Amino acid sequence: MATGALVVATYFIFTMCKERIIPNYYNHESSCFQVPAMYNFGDSNSDTGAYSAVFDPVLPPYGMTYFGKPAGRFAAEKLGFPYLSAYVDSIGTNFRHGGNFAVGGATIQPADALMLNKTFNAITLAVQLSQFQQFKRRACDLYLKESSEIKNRLPIPEDYARAIYTFDIGENDLLAGIEYMKEEQVKTYIPAMINDLSSVIKKLYEGGSRRFWIYNTGPIGCLPYLVTNYPPAPGNADKFGCVESYNELAQEFNKQLEDEVSRLGSQLQESSLVYVDVYSIKYSLISEANKYGFKDSLEQCVWQDGGVNKACDNPSEYISWDGKHYTEAANKWVVDHLQDGFVNVTKIPLTPNRRSESC
């Protein structure tokens, strides 16, 4: 099953927390309670059940490598910490340690802003922000009622300021551009994407959020889906078979994203912003796939046979699960190398002000 940025973030935070090893770039004490919750915003790379709950159920062979059956999750991993529940999952949901607003197919900008006819998932980043704001208001109201029967399943109010807010989104915007535009056109709307993402972070900050992890996008030119369906022109492939111009789009997005995160770090004085360079980590894996025990990086485990998804016998040998997402084994490798991609921008004060701690 594909695992994504949410897995990477939660695995790293909470295994380190469990071992009482807290990276010094957080500038807080070695206590698990210093990172009590996580709120994630993104697409299928970190969806833990939203798409399945709102749109179509996830079918086999998804779930085969961990759950043993479809679990409605595009992202899953054993963490030693409770799974982060999808916001829209209504069955047995516990939000004490945060919530996940990511949805498969989500984009930063809506389809009309991208000037495309393609029908996108309507739960864009702006909608995810709205959902979080509604969730926080209603959860606070319930928590502050002494008689609330679900109090132990809701976030503690002061945890909103101590939580980490993660973002892994933008890949679908770029993929749509590649499919429906000329590459030069795609570059022209990257600044708008960055601006919209930045606006969401600022609004969260205004509401009391203080700690942010922002993931860049991976080497999309190495996704088997694009290489197969939108193959490179002569001279436009690197030695691994990746489409160079597609990767250049991703790199341009990442450059502008890092610059904006740096600007936010100087503007939001009480914030901690960490830019995570997943692109470099993933490209390193792709470029040395055989060295790390994987098959050719452009092979994928899942294929369609008569409209039915079929899976390979051993997904752990593949980097790509279904042409767009990574396998659990590949993302475990990313997890193990995550710290190599951390770029600290600012450090959070030890004691957030009272305004940021309240509901």
Side-chain angles (χ1 to χ4, degrees), residues 202-247:
K202 290 176 182 176
K203 289 176 181 177
L204 286 169
Y205 179 83
E206 290 168 1
S209 305
R210 292 294 181 263
R211 300 175 177 183
F212 305 92
W213 282 11
I214 300 95
Y215 291 81
N216 67 13
T217 196
I220 57 176
C222 300
L223 294 177
Y225 167 80
L226 282 183
V227 174
T228 300
N229 294 288
Y230 302 90
N236 190 23
D238 65 17
K239 60 183 179 180
F240 309 111
C242 303
V243 185
E244 289 186 322
S245 60
Y246 299 165
N247 278 344

mmCIF file of all heavy atoms in Angstrom, residues 202-247:
data_model
loop_
_atom_site.group_PDB
_atom_site.id
_atom_site.type_symbol
_atom_site.label_atom_id
_atom_site.label_comp_id
_atom_site.label_asym_id
_atom_site.label_seq_id
_atom_site.Cartn_x
_atom_site.Cartn_y
_atom_site.Cartn_z
ATOM 1 N N LYS A 202 -0.601 31.247 6.748
ATOM 2 C CA LYS A 202 -0.804 32.497 7.493
ATOM 3 C C LYS A 202 -2.115 32.466 8.271
ATOM 4 O O LYS A 202 -2.180 32.929 9.423
ATOM 5 C CB LYS A 202 -0.795 33.687 6.528
ATOM 6 C CG LYS A 202 0.568 34.007 5.929
ATOM 7 C CD LYS A 202 0.448 35.143 4.917
ATOM 8 C CE LYS A 202 1.782 35.445 4.260
ATOM 9 N NZ LYS A 202 1.653 36.492 3.207
ATOM 10 N N LYS A 203 -3.164 31.933 7.664
ATOM 11 C CA LYS A 203 -4.453 31.878 8.353
ATOM 12 C C LYS A 203 -4.410 30.925 9.541
ATOM 13 O O LYS A 203 -5.013 31.192 10.592
ATOM 14 C CB LYS A 203 -5.555 31.482 7.363
ATOM 15 C CG LYS A 203 -5.882 32.585 6.362
ATOM 16 C CD LYS A 203 -6.898 32.133 5.326
ATOM 17 C CE LYS A 203 -7.174 33.254 4.326
ATOM 18 N NZ LYS A 203 -8.105 32.831 3.246
ATOM 19 N N LEU A 204 -3.700 29.826 9.387
ATOM 20 C CA LEU A 204 -3.526 28.919 10.520
ATOM 21 C C LEU A 204 -2.748 29.595 11.639
ATOM 22 O O LEU A 204 -3.077 29.461 12.819
ATOM 23 C CB LEU A 204 -2.804 27.646 10.067
ATOM 24 C CG LEU A 204 -3.634 26.657 9.244
ATOM 25 C CD1 LEU A 204 -2.740 25.588 8.639
ATOM 26 C CD2 LEU A 204 -4.721 26.015 10.106
ATOM 27 N N TYR A 205 -1.720 30.328 11.267
ATOM 28 C CA TYR A 205 -0.921 31.064 12.256
ATOM 29 C C TYR A 205 -1.784 32.080 13.001
ATOM 30 O O TYR A 205 -1.703 32.207 14.222
ATOM 31 C CB TYR A 205 0.238 31.761 11.550
ATOM 32 C CG TYR A 205 1.125 32.575 12.467
ATOM 33 C CD1 TYR A 205 2.148 31.988 13.198
ATOM 34 C CD2 TYR A 205 0.924 33.950 12.604
ATOM 35 C CE1 TYR A 205 2.957 32.738 14.048
ATOM 36 C CE2 TYR A 205 1.716 34.712 13.451
ATOM 37 C CZ TYR A 205 2.738 34.097 14.166
ATOM 38 O OH TYR A 205 3.525 34.846 15.007
ATOM 39 N N GLU A 206 -2.614 32.792 12.255
ATOM 40 C CA GLU A 206 -3.505 33.778 12.880
ATOM 41 C C GLU A 206 -4.461 33.106 13.865
ATOM 42 O O GLU A 206 -4.889 33.710 14.846
ATOM 43 C CB GLU A 206 -4.303 34.519 11.805
ATOM 44 C CG GLU A 206 -3.460 35.457 10.950
ATOM 45 C CD GLU A 206 -4.203 35.966 9.722
ATOM 46 O OE1 GLU A 206 -5.387 35.583 9.558
ATOM 47 O OE2 GLU A 206 -3.606 36.710 8.925
ATOM 48 N N GLY A 207 -4.781 31.839 13.615
ATOM 49 C CA GLY A 207 -5.674 31.101 14.494
ATOM 50 C C GLY A 207 -4.972 30.432 15.657
ATOM 51 O O GLY A 207 -5.619 29.741 16.446
ATOM 52 N N GLY A 208 -3.636 30.588 15.753
ATOM 53 C CA GLY A 208 -2.907 30.033 16.889
ATOM 54 C C GLY A 208 -1.946 28.916 16.566
ATOM 55 O O GLY A 208 -1.198 28.462 17.434
ATOM 56 N N SER A 209 -1.920 28.417 15.338
ATOM 57 C CA SER A 209 -0.969 27.365 14.955
ATOM 58 C C SER A 209 0.437 27.946 14.903
ATOM 59 O O SER A 209 0.626 29.095 14.483
ATOM 60 C CB SER A 209 -1.343 26.787 13.586
ATOM 61 O OG SER A 209 -2.688 26.338 13.583
ATOM 62 N N ARG A 210 1.422 27.155 15.301
ATOM 63 C CA ARG A 210 2.779 27.685 15.394
ATOM 64 C C ARG A 210 3.851 26.819 14.729
ATOM 65 O O ARG A 210 4.898 27.317 14.356
ATOM 66 C CB ARG A 210 3.150 27.886 16.875
ATOM 67 C CG ARG A 210 2.349 29.016 17.555
ATOM 68 C CD ARG A 210 2.714 30.342 16.936
ATOM 69 N NE ARG A 210 2.020 31.488 17.526
ATOM 70 C CZ ARG A 210 0.928 32.034 17.016
ATOM 71 N NH1 ARG A 210 0.380 31.522 15.912
ATOM 72 N NH2 ARG A 210 0.372 33.083 17.581
ATOM 73 N N ARG A 211 3.627 25.545 14.589
ATOM 74 C CA ARG A 211 4.675 24.654 14.070
ATOM 75 C C ARG A 211 4.241 24.071 12.732
ATOM 76 O O ARG A 211 3.192 23.432 12.628
ATOM 77 C CB ARG A 211 4.956 23.534 15.073
ATOM 78 C CG ARG A 211 5.422 24.065 16.421
ATOM 79 C CD ARG A 211 5.566 22.945 17.429
ATOM 80 N NE ARG A 211 6.070 23.466 18.699
ATOM 81 C CZ ARG A 211 6.348 22.719 19.747
ATOM 82 N NH1 ARG A 211 6.166 21.427 19.692
ATOM 83 N NH2 ARG A 211 6.803 23.268 20.857
ATOM 84 N N PHE A 212 5.058 24.243 11.730
ATOM 85 C CA PHE A 212 4.698 23.820 10.384
ATOM 86 C C PHE A 212 5.821 23.020 9.732
ATOM 87 O O PHE A 212 6.985 23.405 9.822
ATOM 88 C CB PHE A 212 4.387 25.044 9.507
ATOM 89 C CG PHE A 212 3.335 25.953 10.071
ATOM 90 C CD1 PHE A 212 3.684 27.038 10.868
ATOM 91 C CD2 PHE A 212 1.989 25.726 9.812
ATOM 92 C CE1 PHE A 212 2.708 27.883 11.399
ATOM 93 C CE2 PHE A 212 1.013 26.569 10.333
ATOM 94 C CZ PHE A 212 1.370 27.641 11.126
ATOM 95 N N TRP A 213 5.441 21.929 9.101
ATOM 96 C CA TRP A 213 6.353 21.194 8.220
ATOM 97 C C TRP A 213 5.767 21.307 6.818
ATOM 98 O O TRP A 213 4.610 20.934 6.586
ATOM 99 C CB TRP A 213 6.429 19.726 8.595
ATOM 100 C CG TRP A 213 7.298 19.447 9.782
ATOM 101 C CD1 TRP A 213 7.832 20.334 10.662
ATOM 102 C CD2 TRP A 213 7.721 18.147 10.203
ATOM 103 N NE1 TRP A 213 8.557 19.675 11.617
ATOM 104 C CE2 TRP A 213 8.510 18.349 11.365
ATOM 105 C CE3 TRP A 213 7.514 16.858 9.730
ATOM 106 C CZ2 TRP A 213 9.104 17.267 12.049
ATOM 107 C CZ3 TRP A 213 8.097 15.791 10.411
ATOM 108 C CH2 TRP A 213 8.880 15.996 11.546
ATOM 109 N N ILE A 214 6.569 21.767 5.868
ATOM 110 C CA ILE A 214 6.103 21.905 4.488
ATOM 111 C C ILE A 214 6.972 21.032 3.592
ATOM 112 O O ILE A 214 8.170 21.262 3.450
ATOM 113 C CB ILE A 214 6.150 23.371 4.017
ATOM 114 C CG1 ILE A 214 5.244 24.253 4.903
ATOM 115 C CG2 ILE A 214 5.688 23.469 2.569
ATOM 116 C CD1 ILE A 214 5.969 24.941 6.026
ATOM 117 N N TYR A 215 6.374 20.015 3.003
ATOM 118 C CA TYR A 215 7.079 19.099 2.118
ATOM 119 C C TYR A 215 7.087 19.646 0.692
ATOM 120 O O TYR A 215 6.065 20.130 0.206
ATOM 121 C CB TYR A 215 6.393 17.732 2.100
ATOM 122 C CG TYR A 215 6.509 16.983 3.388
ATOM 123 C CD1 TYR A 215 5.652 17.263 4.449
ATOM 124 C CD2 TYR A 215 7.464 16.004 3.570
ATOM 125 C CE1 TYR A 215 5.752 16.591 5.649
ATOM 126 C CE2 TYR A 215 7.573 15.315 4.761
ATOM 127 C CZ TYR A 215 6.718 15.613 5.796
ATOM 128 O OH TYR A 215 6.821 14.945 6.988
ATOM 129 N N ASN A 216 8.225 19.548 0.030
ATOM 130 C CA ASN A 216 8.211 19.889 -1.387
ATOM 131 C C ASN A 216 7.687 18.696 -2.177
ATOM 132 O O ASN A 216 7.388 17.636 -1.609
ATOM 133 C CB ASN A 216 9.585 20.369 -1.862
ATOM 134 C CG ASN A 216 10.659 19.290 -1.844
ATOM 135 O OD1 ASN A 216 10.383 18.096 -1.709
ATOM 136 N ND2 ASN A 216 11.908 19.714 -1.966
ATOM 137 N N THR A 217 7.564 18.848 -3.469
ATOM 138 C CA THR A 217 7.037 17.758 -4.282
ATOM 139 C C THR A 217 8.180 16.906 -4.815
ATOM 140 O O THR A 217 9.298 17.376 -4.985
ATOM 141 C CB THR A 217 6.174 18.306 -5.438
ATOM 142 O OG1 THR A 217 5.374 17.244 -5.976
ATOM 143 C CG2 THR A 217 7.030 18.901 -6.550
ATOM 144 N N GLY A 218 7.898 15.653 -5.043
ATOM 145 C CA GLY A 218 8.927 14.718 -5.487
ATOM 146 C C GLY A 218 9.231 14.834 -6.972
ATOM 147 O O GLY A 218 8.646 15.668 -7.684
ATOM 148 N N PRO A 219 10.153 14.000 -7.463
ATOM 149 C CA PRO A 219 10.526 14.025 -8.880
ATOM 150 C C PRO A 219 9.433 13.418 -9.751
ATOM 151 O O PRO A 219 9.458 12.234 -10.087
ATOM 152 C CB PRO A 219 11.812 13.191 -8.914
ATOM 153 C CG PRO A 219 11.705 12.276 -7.741
ATOM 154 C CD PRO A 219 10.954 13.033 -6.679
ATOM 155 N N ILE A 220 8.456 14.236 -10.122
ATOM 156 C CA ILE A 220 7.296 13.735 -10.850
ATOM 157 C C ILE A 220 7.668 13.184 -12.222
ATOM 158 O O ILE A 220 6.949 12.359 -12.777
ATOM 159 C CB ILE A 220 6.214 14.821 -10.996
ATOM 160 C CG1 ILE A 220 6.772 16.059 -11.698
ATOM 161 C CG2 ILE A 220 5.637 15.190 -9.635
ATOM 162 C CD1 ILE A 220 5.727 17.133 -11.951
ATOM 163 N N GLY A 221 8.787 13.643 -12.760
ATOM 164 C CA GLY A 221 9.230 13.119 -14.045
ATOM 165 C C GLY A 221 9.671 11.670 -13.980
ATOM 166 O O GLY A 221 9.907 11.040 -15.021
ATOM 167 N N CYS A 222 9.761 11.129 -12.770
ATOM 168 C CA CYS A 222 10.132 9.720 -12.583
ATOM 169 C C CYS A 222 8.924 8.848 -12.256
ATOM 170 O O CYS A 222 9.085 7.649 -11.986
ATOM 171 C CB CYS A 222 11.171 9.597 -11.465
ATOM 172 S SG CYS A 222 12.704 10.506 -11.763
ATOM 173 N N LEU A 223 7.725 9.427 -12.246
ATOM 174 C CA LEU A 223 6.534 8.625 -11.993
ATOM 175 C C LEU A 223 6.231 7.778 -13.229
ATOM 176 O O LEU A 223 6.068 8.309 -14.333
ATOM 177 C CB LEU A 223 5.334 9.525 -11.693
ATOM 178 C CG LEU A 223 5.400 10.354 -10.408
ATOM 179 C CD1 LEU A 223 4.167 11.257 -10.302
ATOM 180 C CD2 LEU A 223 5.504 9.462 -9.184
ATOM 181 N N PRO A 224 6.136 6.459 -13.081
ATOM 182 C CA PRO A 224 5.839 5.597 -14.232
ATOM 183 C C PRO A 224 4.589 6.018 -14.986
ATOM 184 O O PRO A 224 4.522 5.867 -16.216
ATOM 185 C CB PRO A 224 5.672 4.215 -13.582
ATOM 186 C CG PRO A 224 6.546 4.269 -12.380
ATOM 187 C CD PRO A 224 6.396 5.674 -11.862
ATOM 188 N N TYR A 225 3.601 6.561 -14.281
ATOM 189 C CA TYR A 225 2.370 7.011 -14.927
ATOM 190 C C TYR A 225 2.665 8.046 -16.005
ATOM 191 O O TYR A 225 2.150 7.965 -17.129
ATOM 192 C CB TYR A 225 1.421 7.592 -13.879
ATOM 193 C CG TYR A 225 0.261 8.356 -14.482
ATOM 194 C CD1 TYR A 225 -0.853 7.693 -14.989
ATOM 195 C CD2 TYR A 225 0.277 9.756 -14.556
ATOM 196 C CE1 TYR A 225 -1.912 8.387 -15.554
ATOM 197 C CE2 TYR A 225 -0.784 10.461 -15.113
ATOM 198 C CZ TYR A 225 -1.862 9.774 -15.608
ATOM 199 O OH TYR A 225 -2.906 10.464 -16.178
ATOM 200 N N LEU A 226 3.495 9.039 -15.686
ATOM 201 C CA LEU A 226 3.809 10.077 -16.663
ATOM 202 C C LEU A 226 4.745 9.559 -17.745
ATOM 203 O O LEU A 226 4.580 9.873 -18.927
ATOM 204 C CB LEU A 226 4.449 11.282 -15.961
ATOM 205 C CG LEU A 226 3.496 12.212 -15.210
ATOM 206 C CD1 LEU A 226 4.270 13.386 -14.630
ATOM 207 C CD2 LEU A 226 2.374 12.722 -16.105
ATOM 208 N N VAL A 227 5.740 8.785 -17.345
ATOM 209 C CA VAL A 227 6.702 8.266 -18.323
ATOM 210 C C VAL A 227 5.996 7.412 -19.370
ATOM 211 O O VAL A 227 6.335 7.446 -20.564
ATOM 212 C CB VAL A 227 7.799 7.456 -17.623
ATOM 213 C CG1 VAL A 227 8.724 6.798 -18.642
ATOM 214 C CG2 VAL A 227 8.604 8.349 -16.684
ATOM 215 N N THR A 228 4.974 6.659 -18.927
ATOM 216 C CA THR A 228 4.251 5.773 -19.844
ATOM 217 C C THR A 228 3.231 6.518 -20.696
ATOM 218 O O THR A 228 3.151 6.324 -21.909
ATOM 219 C CB THR A 228 3.525 4.664 -19.050
ATOM 220 O OG1 THR A 228 4.483 3.909 -18.316
ATOM 221 C CG2 THR A 228 2.752 3.742 -19.980
ATOM 222 N N ASN A 229 2.452 7.394 -20.068
ATOM 223 C CA ASN A 229 1.349 8.054 -20.770
ATOM 224 C C ASN A 229 1.738 9.358 -21.448
ATOM 225 O O ASN A 229 1.084 9.784 -22.405
ATOM 226 C CB ASN A 229 0.205 8.306 -19.790
ATOM 227 C CG ASN A 229 -0.420 7.023 -19.283
ATOM 228 O OD1 ASN A 229 -1.131 6.328 -20.013
ATOM 229 N ND2 ASN A 229 -0.151 6.688 -18.033
ATOM 230 N N TYR A 230 2.799 10.006 -20.955
ATOM 231 C CA TYR A 230 3.288 11.255 -21.543
ATOM 232 C C TYR A 230 4.804 11.144 -21.676
ATOM 233 O O TYR A 230 5.547 11.838 -20.984
ATOM 234 C CB TYR A 230 2.879 12.448 -20.668
ATOM 235 C CG TYR A 230 1.382 12.527 -20.478
ATOM 236 C CD1 TYR A 230 0.769 11.875 -19.409
ATOM 237 C CD2 TYR A 230 0.586 13.226 -21.384
ATOM 238 C CE1 TYR A 230 -0.613 11.916 -19.252
ATOM 239 C CE2 TYR A 230 -0.791 13.275 -21.227
ATOM 240 C CZ TYR A 230 -1.385 12.612 -20.163
ATOM 241 O OH TYR A 230 -2.765 12.659 -20.009
ATOM 242 N N PRO A 231 5.249 10.236 -22.540
ATOM 243 C CA PRO A 231 6.674 9.893 -22.623
ATOM 244 C C PRO A 231 7.535 11.068 -23.077
ATOM 245 O O PRO A 231 7.052 12.004 -23.721
ATOM 246 C CB PRO A 231 6.695 8.759 -23.651
ATOM 247 C CG PRO A 231 5.470 8.965 -24.480
ATOM 248 C CD PRO A 231 4.440 9.519 -23.539
ATOM 249 N N PRO A 232 8.813 11.005 -22.742
ATOM 250 C CA PRO A 232 9.724 12.101 -23.088
ATOM 251 C C PRO A 232 10.027 12.155 -24.577
ATOM 252 O O PRO A 232 10.087 11.124 -25.247
ATOM 253 C CB PRO A 232 10.980 11.768 -22.285
ATOM 254 C CG PRO A 232 10.931 10.278 -22.135
ATOM 255 C CD PRO A 232 9.485 9.937 -21.984
ATOM 256 N N ALA A 233 10.197 13.378 -25.080
ATOM 257 C CA ALA A 233 10.667 13.543 -26.452
ATOM 258 C C ALA A 233 12.137 13.146 -26.505
ATOM 259 O O ALA A 233 12.804 13.067 -25.465
ATOM 260 C CB ALA A 233 10.485 15.003 -26.873
ATOM 261 N N PRO A 234 12.661 12.883 -27.683
ATOM 262 C CA PRO A 234 14.082 12.535 -27.787
ATOM 263 C C PRO A 234 14.963 13.575 -27.101
ATOM 264 O O PRO A 234 14.784 14.777 -27.280
ATOM 265 C CB PRO A 234 14.313 12.522 -29.303
ATOM 266 C CG PRO A 234 12.975 12.174 -29.881
ATOM 267 C CD PRO A 234 11.982 12.852 -28.996
ATOM 268 N N GLY A 235 15.878 13.102 -26.284
ATOM 269 C CA GLY A 235 16.783 14.004 -25.583
ATOM 270 C C GLY A 235 16.222 14.600 -24.312
ATOM 271 O O GLY A 235 16.880 15.414 -23.654
ATOM 272 N N ASN A 236 15.004 14.200 -23.936
ATOM 273 C CA ASN A 236 14.355 14.785 -22.759
ATOM 274 C C ASN A 236 14.227 13.774 -21.622
ATOM 275 O O ASN A 236 13.351 13.884 -20.778
ATOM 276 C CB ASN A 236 12.970 15.326 -23.121
ATOM 277 C CG ASN A 236 12.356 16.162 -22.010
ATOM 278 O OD1 ASN A 236 13.053 16.703 -21.161
ATOM 279 N ND2 ASN A 236 11.024 16.248 -22.000
ATOM 280 N N ALA A 237 15.095 12.777 -21.614
ATOM 281 C CA ALA A 237 15.089 11.794 -20.532
ATOM 282 C C ALA A 237 16.482 11.712 -19.921
ATOM 283 O O ALA A 237 17.494 11.813 -20.627
ATOM 284 C CB ALA A 237 14.666 10.421 -21.052
ATOM 285 N N ASP A 238 16.522 11.551 -18.587
ATOM 286 C CA ASP A 238 17.826 11.381 -17.950
ATOM 287 C C ASP A 238 18.253 9.919 -18.041
ATOM 288 O O ASP A 238 17.547 9.088 -18.622
ATOM 289 C CB ASP A 238 17.802 11.889 -16.500
ATOM 290 C CG ASP A 238 16.884 11.080 -15.594
ATOM 291 O OD1 ASP A 238 16.503 9.952 -15.952
ATOM 292 O OD2 ASP A 238 16.550 11.582 -14.505
ATOM 293 N N LYS A 239 19.390 9.589 -17.461
ATOM 294 C CA LYS A 239 19.929 8.232 -17.633
ATOM 295 C C LYS A 239 19.106 7.166 -16.898
ATOM 296 O O LYS A 239 19.322 5.971 -17.089
ATOM 297 C CB LYS A 239 21.377 8.181 -17.171
ATOM 298 C CG LYS A 239 21.595 8.542 -15.718
ATOM 299 C CD LYS A 239 23.091 8.522 -15.393
ATOM 300 C CE LYS A 239 23.354 8.916 -13.947
ATOM 301 N NZ LYS A 239 24.820 8.901 -13.653
ATOM 302 N N PHE A 240 18.166 7.603 -16.064
ATOM 303 C CA PHE A 240 17.311 6.648 -15.358
ATOM 304 C C PHE A 240 15.955 6.492 -16.038
ATOM 305 O O PHE A 240 15.122 5.716 -15.593
ATOM 306 C CB PHE A 240 17.110 7.097 -13.910
ATOM 307 C CG PHE A 240 18.394 7.407 -13.200
ATOM 308 C CD1 PHE A 240 18.713 8.715 -12.849
ATOM 309 C CD2 PHE A 240 19.309 6.398 -12.928
ATOM 310 C CE1 PHE A 240 19.900 9.005 -12.216
ATOM 311 C CE2 PHE A 240 20.509 6.688 -12.297
ATOM 312 C CZ PHE A 240 20.816 7.996 -11.947
ATOM 313 N N GLY A 241 15.753 7.257 -17.122
ATOM 314 C CA GLY A 241 14.492 7.195 -17.853
ATOM 315 C C GLY A 241 13.466 8.216 -17.418
ATOM 316 O O GLY A 241 12.353 8.258 -17.948
ATOM 317 N N CYS A 242 13.789 9.050 -16.457
ATOM 318 C CA CYS A 242 12.875 10.093 -15.995
ATOM 319 C C CYS A 242 12.792 11.225 -17.020
ATOM 320 O O CYS A 242 13.772 11.515 -17.715
ATOM 321 C CB CYS A 242 13.352 10.668 -14.663
ATOM 322 S SG CYS A 242 13.563 9.441 -13.343
ATOM 323 N N VAL A 243 11.638 11.872 -17.094
ATOM 324 C CA VAL A 243 11.442 12.992 -18.018
ATOM 325 C C VAL A 243 12.028 14.250 -17.384
ATOM 326 O O VAL A 243 11.522 14.747 -16.374
ATOM 327 C CB VAL A 243 9.952 13.204 -18.347
ATOM 328 C CG1 VAL A 243 9.798 14.305 -19.397
ATOM 329 C CG2 VAL A 243 9.327 11.902 -18.845
ATOM 330 N N GLU A 244 13.090 14.754 -17.961
ATOM 331 C CA GLU A 244 13.817 15.864 -17.340
ATOM 332 C C GLU A 244 12.980 17.132 -17.227
ATOM 333 O O GLU A 244 13.020 17.826 -16.202
ATOM 334 C CB GLU A 244 15.099 16.149 -18.136
ATOM 335 C CG GLU A 244 16.153 15.068 -17.972
ATOM 336 C CD GLU A 244 17.468 15.433 -18.641
ATOM 337 O OE1 GLU A 244 17.429 16.031 -19.736
ATOM 338 O OE2 GLU A 244 18.527 15.125 -18.061
ATOM 339 N N SER A 245 12.223 17.463 -18.261
ATOM 340 C CA SER A 245 11.456 18.714 -18.223
ATOM 341 C C SER A 245 10.359 18.671 -17.161
ATOM 342 O O SER A 245 10.025 19.698 -16.556
ATOM 343 C CB SER A 245 10.842 19.014 -19.593
ATOM 344 O OG SER A 245 9.963 17.984 -19.994
ATOM 345 N N TYR A 246 9.798 17.476 -16.894
ATOM 346 C CA TYR A 246 8.799 17.355 -15.836
ATOM 347 C C TYR A 246 9.456 17.562 -14.473
ATOM 348 O O TYR A 246 8.889 18.219 -13.584
ATOM 349 C CB TYR A 246 8.116 15.991 -15.870
ATOM 350 C CG TYR A 246 7.369 15.677 -17.149
ATOM 351 C CD1 TYR A 246 6.976 14.373 -17.446
ATOM 352 C CD2 TYR A 246 7.056 16.671 -18.070
ATOM 353 C CE1 TYR A 246 6.287 14.061 -18.600
ATOM 354 C CE2 TYR A 246 6.366 16.371 -19.244
ATOM 355 C CZ TYR A 246 5.996 15.068 -19.506
ATOM 356 O OH TYR A 246 5.324 14.758 -20.662
ATOM 357 N N ASN A 247 10.638 16.996 -14.311
ATOM 358 C CA ASN A 247 11.360 17.194 -13.057
ATOM 359 C C ASN A 247 11.774 18.652 -12.871
ATOM 360 O O ASN A 247 11.824 19.155 -11.745
ATOM 361 C CB ASN A 247 12.596 16.286 -13.002
ATOM 362 C CG ASN A 247 12.256 14.868 -12.560
ATOM 363 O OD1 ASN A 247 11.178 14.623 -12.015
ATOM 364 N ND2 ASN A 247 13.163 13.941 -12.796
#
